Amino acid sequence: MNSQKDIEQLLHLINLERKEESRLSQEILANMPLPERKEKGITWHPVVINNEEIGVGQQIILTLERTSLTDQTHRFRQGQTAALFNNSNEKDTPISGVIKKIKDNILQLAVSTDQLPEWVDSGRLGLNLLYNETTFKEMEIALTKLQKAENGRLAELREILFGYQQPFFKELPYSIEIPPLNDSQNKAIELVAKAQDIAIIHGPPGTGKTTTLVQAIKFCLKTEKQVLVCAPSNTAVDLLTQKLTELGLSTVRLGHPARVNEQLLSRTFEAQIAAHPRYKQLKQYRKEATQLRQQARKWKRSFAAVDREERREKLKLAKELLDYARQLEQFISKDVIEKSQVVACTLVGSAGRALRSFQFSTVFIDEAAQSLAPATWIPITRANRVVLAGDHCQLPPTVKSAEAMKQGLMKSLFETCIEKLHADTMLSTQYRMHQQIMEFSNQQFYEKGLKAHESVSEKTLGEDLLLFTPADFVDTAGTGYEEEQKKEGLSRFNSQEGDLLLKYLSKIYQQLAVEQPDEVHKITTGIISPYKAQVHYLRDHLLDYETLHKYQDNITIHTVDGFQGQERDIIGISLVRSNDSGEIGFLADTRRMNVAMTRAKKKLVMVGDSATLGSHRFYKSFLKFMEHEANYTTAWEYIY
């Protein structure tokens, strides 16, 4: 293999993934009737246009309102792609755009078109959620750029990051000690300072990866004018933007943040453009252009020569005003970015129009182990040096194509670099969980390199035995608690096991209420299952337990993915699988189980069938660990 063949393979894999996503999306839209699409939350119908204006990039911003099934849940989210369609005439081509804002039953759709079709004024309108083709296009563009690079910096990074050359590190004449960072965190920043090509910060659960990363960014800005900061998810970019702003760094957040609080709002690209001294002039140009276009549309059905001429003149003048606005917007955008120390965006967002003329000294990529390798290359093509942060022992990238998964698309660039390069350092002190909760993951994933900080290493829920033991496994073997499968899907559930977990957690809360009556309402709990059907079962039956009902505001129930990056005082896990053949399905993805087990701070409770789980080497080791090092009990003790 060489780097060119590696790139060809990645292009092949993203094509497989693109086809699968497209197939799934088209299958849903083609085969699912409109009422069912509405019920599934992927279609709004009917919708009305409440407002039309011109936004950044001369896009037309449509404000749409759902007028039917207004209490129905839906899957529309900020930043997703959607298509406005005319249900009165299937031959009319839908208009696709990006959801700019959404609240309740009103959303803004940013459409890249000079003029709207006439059917938007007369048709019965609806909105379909689409899969995001833009991501695949940008991954393909980045890989093609990488493939064609010759003798430049990008070509050098290509050979290094694919593992065909080792990176270079300079010597520092000093050591780095930034209070209150610990030794391993300071060592990580020292590695970043030494790196000429790439540095990798491996951050296991609770080790302060985000804290270390933002301090590394601040340190780099002592010698660099500006850096690019990226992550695959909007949530991660928002968090970094917030932390960097708190450190006093001037930061601009490109794209559409998933959560915008008052502190973050002023950091968004649009807000900083709006605060620019010349924005009023830009806004006036757009306002006049919008008015002229609206006036011109009044004559769209008139055949009188004088009306046609009037319409042409108004549209011509509107176009001239938009040209002026476009030039002024480009100036303002460039000015905003040039004056920022940090440019923060998603991986795909780094390919946006605003950054096309920019090249950065360093790009920092957080959550890099969860990023598809082709997507990770998008911001790297704009940088001379790379810093990756993440943990390849936790959640991998999401891949929908079984064939692409089989051929290696789940392997992130972070993981490749960890394996092939001598460029990483691991954060070794964790501040989240009791040492007994940490220890199994420490042995299985981190070569016993983790240690629990003294502030958490011995911290438990309380003095009673039920509260004092940090890690419990409740074995359902022999009880007949068999798994079941949903008729309408592949997801599995285990109702009796779910009830047992809820009963066990209820007992914990009852004891907390006796021992710590003034503190129990502060205790947070996460209930996790790898299976969506089990999550739904647990949510539906939580309120059957009076004690849990009382503290429901502090209890969250979700899949493993839903708890990534989070922590709770108590974590309860329902493993579901219980069958005679020893099949465990995607429980075999042990990285997901690593995520689930390491969310707990003071108490971890796992419920499962040892007879089924024990057929897998990982769970066999886990059961042995729980028998010798923690609290191993059987379900028979709680059946009454």
Side-chain angles (χ1 to χ4, degrees):
M1 291 289 286
N2 56 47
S3 62
Q4 292 298 329
K5 289 183 178 179
D6 288 331
I7 296 169
E8 287 173 13
Q9 175 68 0
L10 288 177
L11 286 166
H12 166 66
L13 294 179
I14 62 171
N15 191 43
L16 290 175
E17 182 72 357
R18 171 196 267 136
K19 287 180 178 177
E20 179 64 10
E21 282 218 22
S22 178
R23 183 190 70 78
L24 291 171
S25 179
Q26 289 175 12
E27 190 177 89
I28 289 171
L29 292 177
N31 299 330
M32 193 177 289
L34 179 60
E36 192 174 344
R37 295 205 313 268
K38 290 166 67 175
E39 187 179 340
K40 292 283 186 183
I42 58 173
T43 297
W44 279 11
H45 183 272
V47 297
V48 295
I49 300 175
N50 287 341
N51 190 43
E52 173 191 334
E53 59 186 84
I54 299 169
V56 175
Q58 311 312 317
Q59 294 176 315
I60 296 177
I61 310 297
L62 298 175
T63 301
L64 306 173
E65 181 177 1
R66 176 171 64 163
T67 58
S68 173
L69 298 175
T70 53
D71 293 330
Q72 183 91 32
T73 57
H74 60 83
R75 302 185 192 178
F76 289 80
R77 297 291 182 269
Q78 202 167 334
Q80 291 179 316
T81 306
L84 186 68
F85 65 90
N86 178 15
N87 200 42
S88 304
N89 188 349
E90 294 181 358
K91 293 182 180 179
D92 288 334
T93 304
I95 311 167
S96 63
V98 176
I99 299 173
K100 188 171 179 287
K101 290 181 181 178
I102 185 166
K103 184 176 182 181
D104 300 327
N105 292 292
I106 296 176
L107 63 77
Q108 288 186 339
L109 188 71
V111 180
S112 296
T113 182
D114 291 334
Q115 195 166 343
L116 295 172
E118 293 185 2
W119 56 258
V120 301
D121 294 319
S122 56
R124 189 167 171 78
L125 307 180
L127 193 68
N128 282 327
L129 193 60
L130 302 179
Y131 92 101
N132 196 352
E133 172 69 17
T134 303
T135 300
F136 292 99
K137 286 180 179 177
E138 295 301 345
M139 287 193 291
E140 195 172 70
I141 289 169
L143 291 176
T144 302
K145 184 178 178 181
L146 188 65
Q147 199 171 37
K148 293 180 178 179
E150 295 181 7
N151 303 321
R153 183 58 179 150
L154 184 58
E156 292 173 352
L157 287 176
R158 177 188 64 209
E159 298 308 307
I160 293 169
L161 270 61
F162 277 117
Y164 297 104
Q165 294 178 19
Q166 282 296 318
F168 178 72
F169 294 87
K170 67 182 180 182
E171 289 298 320
L172 290 182
Y174 53 86
S175 60
I176 294 174
E177 293 183 12
I178 300 174
L181 300 186
N182 62 44
D183 289 344
S184 67
Q185 291 171 332
N186 277 311
K187 184 180 176 183
I189 294 176
E190 203 166 291
L191 181 73
V192 171
K194 291 178 178 179
Q196 301 299 287
D197 309 296
I198 179 173
I200 304 169
I201 300 174
H202 180 194
T207 54
K209 172 178 62 66
T210 301
T211 298
T212 305
L213 189 62
V214 297
Q215 286 292 343
I217 292 166
K218 183 179 180 180
F219 186 86
C220 281
L221 286 169
K222 291 181 178 180
T223 54
E224 299 176 25
K225 182 182 177 183
Q226 185 180 60
V227 297
L228 178 63
V229 175
C230 297
S233 69
N234 274 306
T235 303
V237 179
D238 288 348
L239 177 61
L240 287 168
T241 302
Q242 182 179 332
K243 297 293 185 183
L244 291 165
T245 302
E246 289 171 358
L247 284 179
L249 301 176
S250 61
T251 306
V252 58
R253 167 62 161 103
L254 300 186
H256 308 296
R259 300 189 314 272
V260 179
N261 53 42
E262 289 185 7
Q263 184 181 25
L264 195 57
L265 182 62
S266 64
R267 296 295 91 210
T268 61
F269 189 42
E270 289 186 348
Q272 292 191 52
I273 286 176
H276 195 276
R278 297 195 62 182
Y279 179 71
K280 287 184 179 179
Q281 186 180 359
L282 172 62
K283 192 175 180 181
Q284 184 62 32
Y285 285 154
R286 288 177 179 162
K287 181 180 178 181
E288 291 176 11
T290 300
Q291 290 172 345
L292 286 167
R293 286 165 60 160
Q294 288 173 343
Q295 291 169 13
R297 284 168 64 178
K298 293 178 182 178
W299 286 289
K300 65 186 175 186
R301 293 186 180 87
S302 176
F303 295 95
V306 63
D307 290 341
R308 288 200 300 272
E309 182 61 30
E310 180 83 17
R311 185 185 184 202
R312 276 196 294 268
E313 285 299 316
K314 288 185 181 296
L315 288 174
K316 180 182 176 183
L317 184 54
K319 186 179 183 303
E320 289 175 357
L321 284 169
L322 286 176
D323 286 340
Y324 294 146
R326 188 175 291 110
Q327 293 171 24
L328 182 54
E329 184 189 336
Q330 288 173 352
F331 167 79
I332 294 172
S333 299
K334 188 176 181 181
D335 194 43
V336 166
I337 292 172
E338 285 181 342
K339 290 178 179 177
S340 298
Q341 293 174 286
V342 179
V343 178
C345 58
T346 61
L347 303 175
V348 178
S350 67
R353 183 189 295 111
L355 295 184
R356 284 179 186 168
S357 62
F358 287 84
Q359 188 73 14
F360 296 87
S361 54
T362 305
V363 57
F364 291 83
I365 303 177
D366 195 13
E367 291 188 347
Q370 294 180 54
S371 313
L372 290 174
T376 310
W377 278 106
I378 297 172
I380 294 175
T381 62
R382 299 195 177 281
N384 297 325
R385 191 174 72 119
V386 185
V387 178
L388 303 178
D391 182 8
H392 57 298
C393 301
Q394 295 190 66
L395 292 182
T398 300
V399 177
K400 294 181 179 177
S401 165
E403 187 57 34
M405 189 183 301
K406 182 180 176 182
Q407 294 185 36
L409 188 56
M410 278 182 68
K411 190 169 188 178
S412 65
L413 183 63
F414 182 97
E415 190 172 357
T416 296
C417 290
I418 283 272
E419 289 178 1
K420 295 185 176 183
L421 306 180
H422 305 295
D424 63 287
T425 186
M426 189 178 87
L427 306 180
S428 58
T429 302
Q430 67 84 12
Y431 298 84
R432 174 181 296 161
M433 62 201 110
H434 190 285
Q435 60 184 3
Q436 194 177 86
I437 298 173
M438 171 199 77
E439 192 52 38
F440 181 69
S441 287
N442 192 23
Q443 294 175 13
Q444 291 290 315
F445 297 99
Y446 305 111
E447 299 178 350
K448 300 183 180 180
L450 277 180
K451 61 181 179 180
H453 190 263
E454 60 183 15
S455 62
V456 298
S457 62
E458 300 292 338
K459 189 171 272 189
T460 63
L461 284 175
E463 298 300 324
D464 179 82
L465 182 63
L466 189 62
L467 306 182
F468 184 74
T469 55
D472 300 351
F473 179 75
V474 185
D475 191 355
T476 65
T479 60
Y481 289 3
E482 295 289 314
E483 65 186 66
E484 302 171 69
Q485 191 166 3
K486 283 283 185 181
K487 292 179 181 178
E488 62 272 20
L490 298 176
S491 190
R492 298 173 189 269
F493 68 103
N494 191 320
S495 57
Q496 291 173 299
E497 180 183 290
D499 290 335
L500 177 61
L501 175 59
L502 292 174
K503 186 184 294 183
Y504 196 97
L505 293 173
S506 185
K507 283 180 174 292
I508 290 174
Y509 267 94
Q510 287 168 10
Q511 187 59 41
L512 281 167
V514 171
E515 194 172 303
Q516 302 172 38
D518 296 331
E519 298 296 319
V520 61
H521 66 283
K522 299 177 184 177
I523 300 296
T524 58
T525 296
I527 304 177
I528 302 175
S529 179
Y531 290 90
K532 289 182 180 179
Q534 186 74 343
V535 166
H536 292 314
Y537 182 86
L538 291 164
R539 285 175 178 168
D540 290 343
H541 291 271
L542 176 73
L543 302 188
D544 293 346
Y545 296 83
E546 185 179 348
T547 304
L548 298 181
H549 189 178
K550 186 176 181 180
Y551 301 106
Q552 63 176 313
D553 290 345
N554 286 344
I555 300 174
T556 308
I557 306 175
H558 220 305
T559 59
V560 179
D561 296 56
F563 276 98
Q564 171 70 3
Q566 300 185 48
E567 61 186 27
R568 298 290 189 274
D569 294 310
I570 305 167
I571 288 290
I573 303 173
S574 173
L575 295 170
V576 176
R577 300 310 296 260
S578 179
N579 53 70
D580 295 333
S581 55
E583 294 180 7
I584 64 169
F586 60 72
L587 285 186
D589 183 355
T590 56
R591 288 182 292 184
R592 273 192 155 72
M593 195 48 54
N594 182 37
V595 172
M597 291 189 295
T598 55
R599 301 306 96 196
K601 295 165 67 177
K602 301 174 185 177
K603 182 78 171 180
L604 172 66
V605 179
M606 296 179 68
V607 183
D609 179 1
S610 63
T612 300
L613 298 170
S615 62
H616 189 280
R617 186 173 63 181
F618 174 84
Y619 293 99
K620 187 176 181 179
S621 298
F622 168 73
L623 294 168
K624 186 177 179 181
F625 173 84
M626 294 301 291
E627 282 187 68
H628 292 88
E629 305 293 336
N631 185 29
Y632 186 105
T633 60
T634 71
W636 294 104
E637 296 179 36
Y638 307 97
I639 297 173
Y640 55 85

